[in-house]
Amino acid sequence: MKIDAEITFRKLEIFMAFMEKGNIARTAEALGISGVSVHRALHTLEEGVRCPLFVHKGRNLVPLPSAVTLLEHSKEAVALMERGIEETRQAAGVGQGRLRIGTLYSLTLETVPRLIMGMKIRRPELELDLTMGSNDLLLNMLEDGVLDAILISVSEIELNPGLETLPLFQDDIFLAAPASYPLDNSKFADLRDFHDQKFVSLAEGFATYNGFQEAFHIAGFEPEIVTRVNDIFSMLSLVQAGVGLSLMPGRMKKVYENSIQLLKLAEPYQMKQQIAIVFARNREMDPNLLALAAEGRMYARTFADTPNAPL
């Protein structure tokens, strides 16, 4: 290699600071490191350049003309690399003034607005792009780099090891029926009692779909599904209209509490969704994602006393 391994940008920055400050003590104070670290960096940099940069006069290091020449090129090299890193980050969409977030439809009622309001306080200049879709769609978009972070259910999926997960809350799944349906609220819902009913369901790929399939598998029968839809609001509108029953997460209760009744599932069918923020681990130091993670942790703390009762 033409450039010795002892020559690093960190050492060049220490060297540049030393050339400005004039002695080791002031350099160490300015950089917040020890004088020994400054001396070691200068000594090993000199070894890497393979020519003398300083002479000792008493306890002082005095720069030679070679050090002045290296200083000029160091400034150019560091500035060029800073621009290169910034342009690289821009090409990757990292740390810019826009954050692309994907979310499940059901989380737009309370969770997403809370996070967005917190983000605008932390980073008022930040633009937030919101994409809604199924669990599978959002996960694919994240892995393809189309989205920066997603809010999904991670209960029944195996995530790529390169992804970081920040849990927000757990949500119970309920049997949903129109308000006019003669539902016995004195007991939990045994799905076998509804084998002759019609159902509406989310399409494959949505968070609630897999739980829907598993619950009826345990019940031992294939439900008569009238239609499958691509968002939870359409599904619950059909339930509301009496088209069929369904299974839905408890977080939807606030919006439909006057038109849809919920009944907790009997023990064999009970399930929970773990809602979490997911983003690429190699971007965990992105300032925008750090802000989102901080808001997520604050939001998660609101469920410390009532973890199964999402807002």
Side-chain angles (χ1 to χ4, degrees):
M1 294 178 64
K2 294 183 178 180
I3 299 178
D4 194 282
E6 290 292 350
I7 302 175
T8 66
F9 282 100
R10 176 59 176 163
K11 291 178 182 178
L12 290 178
E13 288 178 330
I14 293 173
F15 166 70
M16 289 162 56
F18 174 79
M19 294 294 284
E20 178 187 347
K21 300 298 180 182
N23 68 46
I24 288 177
R26 285 196 294 267
T27 302
E29 182 180 1
L31 297 178
I33 58 179
S34 69
V36 173
S37 296
V38 174
H39 186 273
R40 185 184 302 115
L42 296 176
H43 177 67
T44 55
L45 181 63
E46 195 173 42
E47 289 182 343
V49 176
R50 297 176 188 171
C51 75
L53 297 174
F54 309 99
V55 293
H56 285 273
K57 286 191 176 179
R59 300 183 62 183
N60 296 324
L61 284 179
V62 178
L64 294 169
S66 56
V68 176
T69 300
L70 180 62
L71 176 63
E72 295 174 1
H73 291 288
S74 295
K75 290 178 178 178
E76 292 179 9
V78 171
L80 181 61
M81 181 54 72
E82 286 177 348
R83 289 197 301 272
I85 291 173
E86 181 61 27
E87 290 178 12
T88 300
R89 289 169 63 82
Q90 288 178 2
V94 174
Q96 304 307 303
R98 175 172 296 175
L99 188 65
R100 303 163 300 174
I101 301 175
T103 179
L104 301 178
Y105 289 91
S106 59
L107 297 175
T108 60
L109 292 176
E110 180 70 23
T111 303
V112 170
R114 286 274 296 274
L115 293 178
I116 287 178
M117 286 190 292
M119 288 287 288
K120 294 305 289 183
I121 293 173
R122 287 178 183 270
R123 302 180 69 80
E125 76 288 351
L126 183 65
E127 293 183 19
L128 296 165
D129 292 344
L130 196 62
T131 299
M132 291 175 283
S134 68
N135 241 42
D136 288 358
L137 174 65
L138 297 175
L139 195 53
N140 289 335
M141 293 178 74
L142 178 67
E143 292 179 342
D144 290 342
V146 179
L147 296 174
D148 301 311
I150 57 176
L151 283 79
I152 61 171
S153 170
V154 296
S155 301
E156 300 171 357
I157 57 176
E158 185 174 343
L159 292 174
N160 184 312
L163 297 177
E164 191 70 33
T165 302
L166 176 63
L168 296 179
F169 62 85
Q170 285 190 331
D171 202 359
D172 289 310
I173 303 298
F174 296 82
L175 176 71
S180 59
Y181 187 87
L183 206 58
D184 185 357
N185 292 298
S186 65
K187 60 180 182 179
F188 292 161
D190 187 333
L191 293 180
R192 292 173 297 182
D193 296 337
F194 301 90
H195 68 277
D196 57 345
Q197 298 296 313
K198 293 180 173 61
F199 286 83
V200 292
S201 167
L202 286 170
E204 187 173 357
F206 283 83
T208 309
Y209 172 84
N210 290 335
F212 187 99
Q213 297 295 110
E214 178 62 21
F216 284 99
H217 175 74
I218 294 171
F221 71 95
E222 190 76 24
E224 181 183 351
I225 298 177
V226 179
T227 184
R228 291 182 172 87
V229 295
N230 288 315
D231 73 88
I232 197 166
F233 296 106
S234 296
M235 183 187 80
L236 293 179
S237 292
L238 293 174
V239 173
Q240 189 177 18
V243 175
L245 310 182
S246 191
L247 300 183
M248 68 172 251
R251 57 185 175 273
M252 304 298 294
K253 182 178 181 179
K254 272 190 176 181
V255 178
Y256 294 92
E257 60 185 350
N258 295 322
S259 56
I260 291 178
Q261 50 184 328
L262 300 184
L263 188 59
K264 189 167 183 177
L265 297 173
E267 194 278 329
Y269 320 107
Q270 289 176 7
M271 65 192 86
K272 295 181 183 293
Q273 286 183 356
Q274 175 66 66
I275 302 301
I277 300 174
V278 182
F279 52 89
R281 184 163 294 156
N282 60 9
R283 290 190 55 187
E284 62 184 349
M285 299 310 294
D286 182 327
N288 295 334
L289 290 176
L290 284 173
L292 178 61
E295 281 303 314
R297 283 190 288 271
M298 287 184 62
Y299 183 69
R301 281 200 289 270
T302 65
F303 302 107
D305 297 328
T306 54
N308 295 323
L311 299 177

